[in-house]
Amino acid sequence: MIKNSVKNIVLPFSICLLMALALYPDSALNPDVYSTEGLELDFTVSEDLAMATPDHSVKSNVFTPYLGKSFEGFKEALAFKESRGDYFTVNTLGYLGKYQFGAETLKVLGIYNPNQFLYNPELQEKAFIANAERNKWVLRNDIKRFEGKNIAGVKVTESGILAAAHLAGPGSVKKFLRSYGGQNFSDAYGASVKYYMKKFSGYDTSMIKPDKKARVTL
């Protein structure tokens, strides 16, 4: 009904306006020539509809993923720092994939074909887990000894230790912890053990089980 009422008013008015513009072009730009005086502008819009305001308290069904400090959050945050999450990238030093693995580390995990690794996201995800399991086994005593302590201004957490081990290897993390921050390895791009321990602290990495012989199988 609303749509029909508006149509019945607007259509005749539009036709009259077009005719006036055609007959009197000189007055086309003069707003004083036109007036709605005398017109019955009776739009049949109900008062309830006219006064209605949007209800902003109603939440939409838009899905916005929030990984927080979960293990998935840890993986994706680390991957973004390493490669912006790109499975198929190779950096200037030859490190591969989403998590930027070196060829020697891949061999330890049982992967001997870097090209196959680069183009296989499933393999990359499994390599990340296996490497974290291996690093957690190597660093198991250091995690027990130093977790919760403050070293060089950084609160030590398991996730920070594992992230730093991913960057620099477990040996460099041992040196940092046992020297109380005195030995702080940095890679060729300036990222350090201390920086990774701070940036990736407080994530839930409890699902990673220490495994001395962790390897990748498809």
Side-chain angles (χ1 to χ4, degrees):
M1 181 181 292
I2 295 172
K3 188 178 295 184
N4 290 337
S5 299
V6 174
K7 181 177 180 181
N8 292 336
I9 295 297
V10 174
L11 185 57
F13 182 78
S14 300
I15 294 173
C16 292
L17 180 59
L18 291 173
M19 291 177 64
L21 289 173
L23 293 173
Y24 306 102
D26 293 338
S27 63
L29 299 177
N30 185 358
D32 296 330
V33 174
Y34 304 102
S35 172
T36 58
E37 185 178 354
L39 292 177
E40 294 184 8
L41 303 179
D42 183 16
F43 298 99
T44 55
V45 179
S46 69
E47 184 178 351
D48 291 341
L49 181 61
M51 299 299 292
T53 56
D55 184 0
H56 296 293
S57 67
V58 178
K59 296 181 179 179
S60 67
N61 290 325
V62 177
F63 176 66
T64 53
Y66 177 68
L67 300 176
K69 291 292 186 176
S70 67
F71 179 68
E72 286 299 320
F74 172 71
K75 279 202 313 141
E76 294 308 314
L78 186 54
F80 188 81
K81 179 66 179 70
E82 292 291 319
S83 70
R84 293 190 175 272
D86 186 351
Y87 283 109
F88 310 111
T89 190
V90 181
N91 76 2
T92 56
L93 299 176
Y95 287 83
L96 307 164
K98 181 178 178 180
Y99 301 102
Q100 293 290 280
F101 276 96
E104 293 305 312
T105 300
L106 291 178
K107 289 178 182 178
V108 172
L109 300 175
I111 300 170
Y112 301 96
N113 187 332
N115 193 59
Q116 178 193 19
F117 173 80
L118 183 63
Y119 293 101
N120 191 328
E122 181 184 359
L123 191 60
Q124 293 188 33
E125 294 295 339
K126 289 188 174 185
F128 179 83
I129 298 296
N131 190 55
E133 290 174 340
R134 178 178 171 274
N135 287 337
K136 191 168 181 175
W137 185 86
V138 175
L139 292 162
R140 64 196 185 282
N141 293 327
D142 295 275
I143 292 171
K144 291 178 181 178
R145 178 181 174 186
F146 293 103
E147 188 173 20
K149 293 184 178 181
N150 282 279
I151 293 180
V154 177
K155 183 177 180 180
V156 178
T157 65
E158 181 180 284
S159 62
I161 288 175
L162 293 180
H166 182 86
L167 170 75
S172 295
V173 177
K174 281 179 180 284
K175 290 177 181 178
F176 175 84
L177 293 172
R178 296 178 184 185
S179 68
Y180 286 87
Q183 297 185 50
N184 183 28
F185 171 88
S186 295
D187 70 3
Y189 299 108
S192 68
V193 167
K194 177 182 175 180
Y195 174 75
Y196 265 52
M197 288 191 68
K198 183 176 182 179
K199 184 174 180 63
F200 299 105
S201 67
Y203 287 88
D204 181 6
T205 53
S206 59
M207 70 157 289
I208 295 296
K209 306 304 178 186
D211 185 354
K212 180 180 180 180
K213 300 179 179 179
R215 291 171 70 86
V216 177
T217 57
L218 284 177

